[in-house]
Structure formats: structure tokens, C-alpha cells
């Protein structure tokens, strides 16, 4: 129905609009969140680097202070003497580091021999493996270094300064741990955090992940989720971003920005000592998207409900006139030419209603004129046929009477014989006139059908039984009769006697069309809600002009026909609410098809 289509159109339009708005808002929100996330990450990286530089400057300043202290200067002077002994300075680094706020401190001779180590005193007298790079880093900014300890390895921010009191300087190497305390000093915005992965070993290890919010070695949630990100940075030594799914809840997801922290060196040879991981929680974004979806669902549901109400109102306003037009058109189709619709307004529907009313008025007028023309034509045809039919017997009647008069006047002695012969002629022609008048009277008095449940197969069998003797009559070309009756044929509401008469007329026509014999076929079948009867012959067939005029009353192609047989058949079929048509071509035989409705309501009530 148009009303349902209009309702569906409104609902789909509202739904698609809400979906489009929700997607647009989601996309704008996503881009805004990503922009904000990038800005906050950049700010945090800047803050980290600022803190890194500040800590490095502080370490360098304290190492410089130690290198220029009086005690270290005296040590440098003594160690520049021949056969100098470094043993008295074994504890110097340990006592010095306690007041310097440094975590690491070592004194190294110019040849790389360790004089004193605060973090690992047992290294006294051993060579410092990275002495070449330390000498180059003297008087430069702080750098990262993995420091070997008695109980493991620690990452620190180191600076190198030289105490010069002769040809052989003494190098002071001091540093501060890069650990949780360092990360805790960074001011973290809400929803962000900083982790530090110490790059030791060839494989990822959760215990190397430093998180200020966790206890040592505990890591963060399932720390193995960070392994792909760490491996990617270890291979490329470049900044990388990664989305980490901690659980099935999207609100737990974090976007991590990984920054490689390289040690001292030049170019690509600088070792990767650690990875700074800056995590940005997506909770606010996910919750916002959930709110957007919830709002979209609420708005969409409300919009669809509103669309239903509006479309119902609009459909009623639009479809009511259309339904009235459809109902009026149905009435016209059923024969009520006086159907009218109300004209409401001057819009397109009002114009349509007005056009419909004018159309029915015009059709009614045309119908009246057509009926008048048909009545005149029918009377003219009736007069022509009556004149033709009556003229043939009237001429013999006139001649007979004239012969009687002439015989009475000229040969009275032969009058009796002429009278007897003329009487026989008069009676025969009068009987012929009575037959003609009877046939016309019969056609004019066709009774209305009395509907009862009828099985058409039984009617067809009755007609065949009636003509069986004529079909096989001696001295006449044999006509073969074939029956193709549908065993599942539906019962129809009809007048069995009138249908028997109609089918009989069709069978007679078929027999007349096959004077030299042939095949007569009678078929029945269901066709949707209708039932079909087909009467076919293998005669000479009809031309297209004959097919158009064959049901016209008084039209006949036979030498002695009245032209009423097929007109009677059409009248019977029409009175049953059905229709009949013919299919034929010269030399291909003729098939008459009767199509009848079941009239199910009548058959059910009658049953």
C-alpha cells in the first residue's frame, strides 16, 4: 500500500539521517581525539626531554664540582708523580658520592684504570672498557649509559669531567639513575602515563619495564602486550605509535608512543639503551563514542517514532484522496458510471479528482451515445435480417396466391388440382415463417442463469454423449472426439442447462466446420481463480475479419445459418460473468475458449 510505502520511506529517511549524523560526529570526534592525543603526547615528550636535559645539566654540574674540588685536585697531582700509588684513594668515590646527590661515581686514570668506584668498589685496578668514549665525552653534555653493578645492571644519566693537574688527567665519571623516581618527577596529564623499558638482552622481558605506578618487576597488566611495540622500536630505532588492547573492553585500550633512548656514540652506532613509552588512555574517547551511539539510538528511535506519527498523518492526508479515487475507479470498472469523488483543495490531488469527475461525466455521456447508437444499429440489423429472412418465404406465397387466382379465372376445371398443390406450398412456407419468428423470439427471451454448484466435466461429458451418434453416423465423414478433462477441476457456480446449450452450439459449429472429417477436442483446466473450457476443431479455420465479427448477432458464414448460435453462446457466457474468445487462422482449425469465474462465495454458501 502507498501508505505503508510512505511510512517506510519516512522511517528509512530518519534512520539514515541519524546514522549519517552519528557517523559524522564519530569521525569528527575521532579526529579531534587523535589531534588532542598527539598534542598531549608531544607536550609530554617535550617535558620529558626538558627534564632529561635538566637532570643531565645537574649531573654535569655536580660532576664538574667534584672534578674541581680540592681533594680530587690533590689526587690528580699525586697521581701525576712518578710511581704514584692509587691505593689511598680506594674509598674516595664512596665518601664523595654520599654528599653529591649522585647515584654513580668513579675516578679513572688517563690509561683507563679505575682508581675508585662508589657503586662497585671491587672494580679497583680494573680497566674501564669504554674509556675511549669517556675521554671523548669529557666536558660535553650528559649521556645515557648502562652501568654494571654487583647485583645487575642499572640505567643512568652520566657526565664525564677531567681533573687536570699534569700531563695525565684524572677522569670523574658520575651519574644518576633513570628509574621510577625520574619518571615520577614528570607531571602527567590525566589519562597519560610514562613507562621505561631498559633494553637488555635479545628478548623482551617484563621485569625490564619500569612503571612508577607498579611495584618493581610487576609490570603493567599483561606486560607481554607491549612486546610487539618494543621489538619494532628495537629493530628500527625510530619513534613508533601502537594501539594496545589490554582486554575485551575498549575503554581499557591505550595508545603508546615509543621513543628510543640512545647511548653515547656517533650516528647509527649509538646503542639503544632504553625505550620511553608514553601511554594515552582511550577511555574518555570510548566512553564518548558510547554516549554518541546511545544518543544516536535514542534520537533514532525517537525520530522513527516521530516519523511514524508524521508519516501516518501525512499518509492519511495524501492517501485518503487517492484511496477515494481508487474506490471510485473500481466502481466505474464494475459498471457504476455515476461514481464521483470529493474535490478537496486546488493542489495536484484536487486537480486529479476534478479530472476524474469530468472523465466519468464524459464517459457517461459517451456511454449513453454509444448505447443509443448500438440500439439504432441493432434495430437496423434486426430489420435487415427480418426483411432478408421474411422475403424468401413471402415470394413463394405471392406466386402461389397469384397461381390460384389465375387458375380460378382461366381454368376452373383444373382449379381443384392447383388448389391442392398451392395449399401444400402455402402451409410449408407459413411453417417456415413460424420457424423464423420462433428463432428470433427464442433469442430475445434468453433466460437468466440459475446458479448452482456445477462440475463442468460432467457438462462436457453430457454434450459428448448427446452428439456421439452424429459423430459416428454412417455415410458421413468420421469425426474423432478427444477429451482432455482436468480431474482436479474446481466446481463453479453456474446454470448447467444453459452451459450445456452453449457448449452444444460450439460442438455443432465445430462439426459443421469439418465436413470431410477431423478431430474435435474438448478440454477443461484450472487457470488461477478461473476455469477454462476449450472446444477445438481441425477445420478450415477463420480469417481475422471473421474472428472479429463472429459473435455479432445475425452474422453467419453458413449458407443456411441464422447467425444466432454464437450470439447465444456469448450471451450465456456473459450472463455467467465470464468471457469467450476465439483463436483461429485459415487452414489451422478453430479453438473457442470459455473463461468462467468460480464464484467461490456462492458455491460455499450453496454447499
Amino acid at each position: 500500500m502507498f501508505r505503508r510505502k510512505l511510512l517506510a520511506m519516512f522511517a528509512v529517511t530518519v534512520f539514515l539521517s541519524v546514522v549519517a549524523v552519528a557517523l559524522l560526529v564519530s569521525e569528527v570526534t575521532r579526529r579531534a581525539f587523535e589531534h588532542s592525543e598527539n598534542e598531549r603526547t608531544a607536550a609530554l615528550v617535550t617535558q620529558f626531554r626538558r627534564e632529561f636535559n635538566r637532570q643531565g645539566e645537574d649531573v654535569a654540574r655536580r660532576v664538574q664540582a667534584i672534578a674541581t674540588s680540592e681533594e680530587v685536585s690533590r689526587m690528580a697531582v699525586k697521581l701525576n708523580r712518578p710511581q704514584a700509588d692509587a691505593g689511598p684513594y680506594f674509598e674516595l668515590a664512596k665518601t664523595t658520592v654520599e654528599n653529591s646527590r649522585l647515584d654513580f661515581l668513579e675516578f679513572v686514570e688517563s690509561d683507563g684504570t679505575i682508581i675508585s668506584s662508589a657503586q662497585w668498589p671491587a672494580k679497583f685496578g680494573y680497566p674501564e672498557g669504554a674509556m675511549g668514549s669517556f675521554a671523548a665525552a669529557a666536558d660535553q653534555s650528559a649521556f645515557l649509559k648502562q652501568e654494571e653493578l654487583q647485583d645487575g645492571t642499572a640505567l643512568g644519566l652520566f657526565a664525564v669531567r677531567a681533573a687536570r693537574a699534569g700531563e695525565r688527567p684524572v677522569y670523574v665519571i658520575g651519574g644518576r639513575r633513570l628509574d621510577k623516581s625520574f619518571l615520577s618527577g614528570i607531571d602527567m596529564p590525566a589519562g597519560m602515563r610514562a613507562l621505561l623499558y631498559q633494553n637488555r638482552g635479545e628478548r623482551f622481558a617484563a621485569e625490564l619495564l619500569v612503571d612508577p605506578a607498579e611495584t618493581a618487576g610487576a609490570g603493567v597488566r599483561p606486560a607481554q602486550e607491549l612486546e610487539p611495540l618494543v621489538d619494532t622500536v628495537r629493530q628500527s630505532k625510530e619513534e613508533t605509535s601502537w594501539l594496545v588492547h589490554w582486554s575485551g573492553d575498549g575503554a581499557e585500550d591505550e595508545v603508546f608512543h615509543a621513543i628510543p633512548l640512545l647511548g653515547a656514540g656517533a650516528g647509527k652506532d649509538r646503542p639503544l639503551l632504553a625505550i620511553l613509552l608514553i601511554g594515552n588512555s582511550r577511555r574518555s574517547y570510548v566512553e564518548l563514542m558510547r554516549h554518541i551511539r546511545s544518543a544516536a539510538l535514542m534520537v533514532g528511535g525517537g525520530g522513527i517514532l516521530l516519523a511514524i506519527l508524521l508519516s501516518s498523518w501525512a499518509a492519511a492526508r495524501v492517501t485518503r484522496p487517492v484511496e477515494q479515487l481508487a474506490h471510485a475507479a473500481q466502481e466505474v470498472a464494475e459498471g457504476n458510471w455515476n461514481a464521483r469523488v470529493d474535490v478537496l483543495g486546488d493542489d495536484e490531488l484536487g486537480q486529479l479528482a476534478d479530472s476524474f469527475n469530468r472523465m466519468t461525466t464524459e464517459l457517461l455521456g459517451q456511454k449513453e451515445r454509444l448505447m443509443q447508437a448500438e440500439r439504432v444499429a441493432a434495430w437496423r440489423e434486426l430489420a435487415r435480417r427480418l426483411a432478408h429472412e421474411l422475403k424468401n418465404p413471402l415470394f413463394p406465397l405471392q406466386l402461389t396466391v397469384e397461381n390460384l387466382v389465375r387458375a380460378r379465372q382461366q381454368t376452373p376445371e383444373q382449379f381443384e388440382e392447383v388448389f391442392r398443390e398451392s395449399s401444400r406450398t402455402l402451409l410449408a412456407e407459413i411453417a417456415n415463417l413460424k420457424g423464423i419468428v420462433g428463432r428470433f423470439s427464442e433469442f430475445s427471451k434468453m433466460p437468466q442463469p440459475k446458479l448452482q454448484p456445477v462440475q463442468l466435466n460432467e457438462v462436457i461429458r453430457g454434450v459428448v454423449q448427446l452428439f456421439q451418434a452424429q459423430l459416428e453416423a454412417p455415410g458421413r465423414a468420421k469425426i474423432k472426439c478427444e477429451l482432455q478433462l482436468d480431474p482436479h477441476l474446481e466446481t463453479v457456480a453456474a446454470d448447467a442447462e444453459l452451459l450445456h446449450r452453449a457448449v452444444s452450439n460450439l460442438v455443432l459449429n465445430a462439426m459443421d466446420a469439418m465436413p470431410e472429417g477431423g478431430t474435435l477436442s474438448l478440454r477443461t483446466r484450472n487457470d488461477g481463480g478461473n476455469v477454462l473450457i476449450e472446444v477445438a476443431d481441425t477445420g478450415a479455420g477463420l480469417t481475422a475479419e471473421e474472428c472479429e465479427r463472429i459473435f455479432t448477432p445475425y452474422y453467419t458464414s453458413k449458407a443456411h445459418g441464422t447467425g444466432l448460435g454464437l450470439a447465444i453462446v456469448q450471451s450465456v457466457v456473459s450472463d455467467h460473468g465470464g468471457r469467450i474468445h476465439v483463436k483461429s487462422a485459415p487452414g489451422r482449425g478453430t479453438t473457442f475458449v470459455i473463461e468462467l469465474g468460480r464464484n467461490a462465495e456462492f458455491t460455499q454458501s450453496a454447499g
Side-chain angles (χ1 to χ4, degrees):
M1 294 178 62
F2 178 71
R3 182 175 298 185
R4 293 179 180 174
K5 292 180 179 178
L6 192 62
L7 172 62
M9 182 184 67
F10 271 97
V12 170
T13 301
V14 172
F15 176 76
L16 293 180
S17 299
V18 172
V19 170
V21 171
L23 292 177
L24 179 61
V25 172
S26 299
E27 180 63 18
V28 171
T29 303
R30 183 187 64 80
R31 293 185 179 182
F33 181 83
E34 289 179 353
H35 180 69
S36 174
E37 178 184 87
N38 292 335
E39 287 185 343
R40 294 203 304 171
T41 301
L44 192 59
V45 170
T46 301
Q47 184 181 356
F48 173 82
R49 287 172 176 166
R50 187 184 300 114
E51 180 66 17
F52 186 89
N53 293 333
R54 188 189 67 80
Q55 293 273 11
E57 291 174 357
D58 185 61
V59 168
R61 187 169 54 254
R62 294 182 181 278
V63 171
Q64 180 66 33
I66 294 173
T68 57
S69 64
E70 182 179 352
E71 190 173 6
V72 173
S73 297
R74 286 198 304 267
M75 179 184 64
V77 170
K78 290 182 180 181
L79 291 178
N80 270 277
R81 294 174 183 174
Q83 298 181 353
D85 182 16
Y89 306 106
F90 177 80
E91 297 288 339
L92 180 59
K94 187 175 182 181
T95 57
T96 304
V97 77
E98 294 176 354
N99 300 322
S100 63
R101 296 179 61 185
L102 295 175
D103 298 317
F104 311 107
L105 182 62
E106 287 183 341
F107 299 116
V108 182
E109 292 191 70
S110 58
D111 60 359
T113 303
I114 298 176
I115 301 170
S116 177
S117 176
Q119 59 269 21
W120 194 356
K123 292 170 66 177
F124 174 77
Y126 285 89
E128 174 59 59
M131 186 59 209
S133 60
F134 290 159
D139 300 326
Q140 294 183 6
S141 58
F143 56 90
L144 282 177
K145 176 179 176 295
Q146 291 281 5
E147 181 66 19
E148 296 292 335
L149 303 176
Q150 289 179 316
D151 55 353
T153 305
L155 179 66
L157 188 59
F158 287 81
V160 179
R161 293 293 182 266
R164 302 183 184 277
E167 295 180 357
R168 296 180 298 169
V170 174
Y171 293 99
V172 180
I173 305 174
R176 186 174 294 163
R177 288 179 181 271
L178 202 63
D179 55 8
K180 293 182 180 180
S181 59
F182 178 84
L183 296 178
S184 300
I186 301 176
D187 185 16
M188 296 288 179
M192 297 188 71
R193 59 177 178 155
L195 310 176
L196 187 67
Y197 180 78
Q198 301 180 52
N199 187 32
R200 297 201 302 268
E202 296 181 357
R203 294 187 178 183
F204 177 85
E207 60 271 12
L208 298 179
L209 192 63
V210 179
D211 182 4
E214 302 286 345
T215 58
V220 286
R221 297 170 184 167
Q224 298 298 328
E225 298 293 336
L226 295 172
E227 183 176 357
L229 174 60
V230 171
D231 290 342
T232 300
V233 177
R234 292 172 68 178
Q235 294 175 7
S236 64
K237 294 185 180 180
E238 295 179 355
E239 295 187 11
T240 305
S241 295
W242 200 279
L243 176 62
V244 177
H245 302 284
W246 297 116
S247 65
D249 185 5
E252 299 292 330
D253 295 349
E254 282 185 281
V255 177
F256 277 92
H257 188 78
I259 303 172
L261 301 180
L262 306 178
K268 297 182 179 180
D269 295 334
R270 300 175 62 188
L272 178 65
L273 301 181
I275 302 173
L276 177 66
L277 303 173
I278 299 176
N280 197 339
S281 174
R282 291 173 60 88
R283 180 175 296 276
S284 58
Y285 169 74
V286 172
E287 291 179 350
L288 178 60
M289 294 303 296
R290 288 174 179 173
H291 289 320
I292 292 175
R293 284 194 292 268
S294 300
L297 290 175
M298 293 179 62
V299 172
I304 292 176
L305 179 60
L306 182 61
I308 293 174
L309 297 177
L310 290 177
S311 62
S312 299
W313 174 79
R317 292 289 300 272
V318 173
T319 58
R320 187 178 295 115
V322 176
E323 291 173 352
Q324 292 177 353
L325 281 169
H327 180 69
Q330 184 66 29
E331 289 187 1
V332 172
E334 293 173 355
N336 181 15
W337 297 80
N338 293 311
R340 295 290 185 274
V341 294
D342 296 332
V343 179
L344 302 175
D346 297 328
D347 56 5
E348 290 81 356
L349 289 174
Q351 295 174 8
L352 180 61
D354 182 64
S355 299
F356 179 84
N357 290 337
R358 286 191 281 106
M359 179 193 70
T360 53
T361 302
E362 182 65 24
L363 287 176
L364 188 60
Q366 292 181 2
K367 178 187 176 184
E368 294 295 334
R369 291 191 293 272
L370 181 61
M371 291 177 62
Q372 292 177 9
E374 288 179 348
R375 282 195 294 268
V376 171
W379 281 112
R380 286 177 178 173
E381 181 66 19
L382 178 61
R384 187 187 69 81
R385 292 298 301 173
L386 281 174
H388 176 75
E389 295 290 336
L390 295 177
K391 183 169 61 175
N392 291 333
L394 285 176
F395 183 70
L397 286 173
Q398 181 183 356
L399 289 178
T400 302
V401 173
E402 289 177 351
N403 288 336
L404 283 173
V405 173
R406 196 163 42 248
R408 182 75 175 85
Q409 293 175 351
Q410 296 178 358
T411 57
E413 64 280 2
Q414 297 179 357
F415 177 76
E416 289 297 331
E417 183 179 354
V418 173
F419 178 78
R420 286 193 298 272
E421 293 178 359
S422 298
S423 297
R424 286 195 296 270
T425 302
L426 288 173
L427 290 174
E429 293 301 331
I430 289 173
N432 188 16
L433 284 173
K434 288 179 64 178
I436 293 171
V437 173
R439 287 194 298 272
F440 280 97
S441 176
E442 180 184 8
F443 178 69
S444 65
K445 296 179 180 179
M446 285 293 298
Q448 289 296 314
K450 298 178 180 179
L451 301 181
Q452 292 183 352
V454 173
Q455 177 52 255
L456 293 181
N457 287 344
E458 297 300 325
V459 175
I460 301 300
R461 291 190 182 96
V463 173
V464 172
Q465 185 176 5
L466 177 65
F467 288 97
Q468 190 67 41
Q470 298 183 41
L471 293 173
E472 301 175 355
R476 177 175 179 171
K478 186 175 180 180
I479 297 177
K480 179 183 179 182
C481 183
E482 293 183 350
L483 293 182
Q484 300 176 16
L485 307 180
D486 186 353
H488 305 292
L489 193 68
E490 299 284 351
T491 302
V492 299
D495 189 316
E497 183 178 348
L498 291 178
L499 287 182
H500 185 280
R501 182 176 178 181
V503 176
S504 297
N505 281 344
L506 293 178
V507 171
L508 279 173
N509 275 354
M511 292 171 62
D512 291 341
M514 296 183 291
E516 299 179 358
T519 300
L520 171 66
S521 300
L522 291 95
R523 297 183 286 268
T524 60
R525 59 187 174 90
N526 290 305
D527 183 26
N530 299 323
V531 177
L532 301 185
I533 302 174
E534 297 182 1
V535 180
D537 63 62
T538 57
L542 301 172
T543 64
E545 180 182 359
E546 288 174 330
C547 289
E548 292 180 359
R549 301 182 59 190
I550 198 169
F551 295 108
T552 303
Y554 318 115
Y555 173 80
T556 180
S557 58
K558 301 177 184 178
H560 303 288
T562 62
L564 295 177
L566 290 177
I568 291 174
V569 174
Q570 187 182 50
S571 176
V572 171
V573 174
S574 178
D575 289 343
H576 280 78
R579 67 187 188 96
I580 181 172
H581 63 277
V582 61
K583 297 184 291 185
S584 182
R588 298 184 180 180
T590 303
T591 300
F592 288 91
V593 181
I594 298 176
E595 182 177 342
L596 298 175
R598 290 186 55 221
N599 297 322
E601 298 82 0
F602 181 85
T603 56
Q604 290 174 0
S605 61

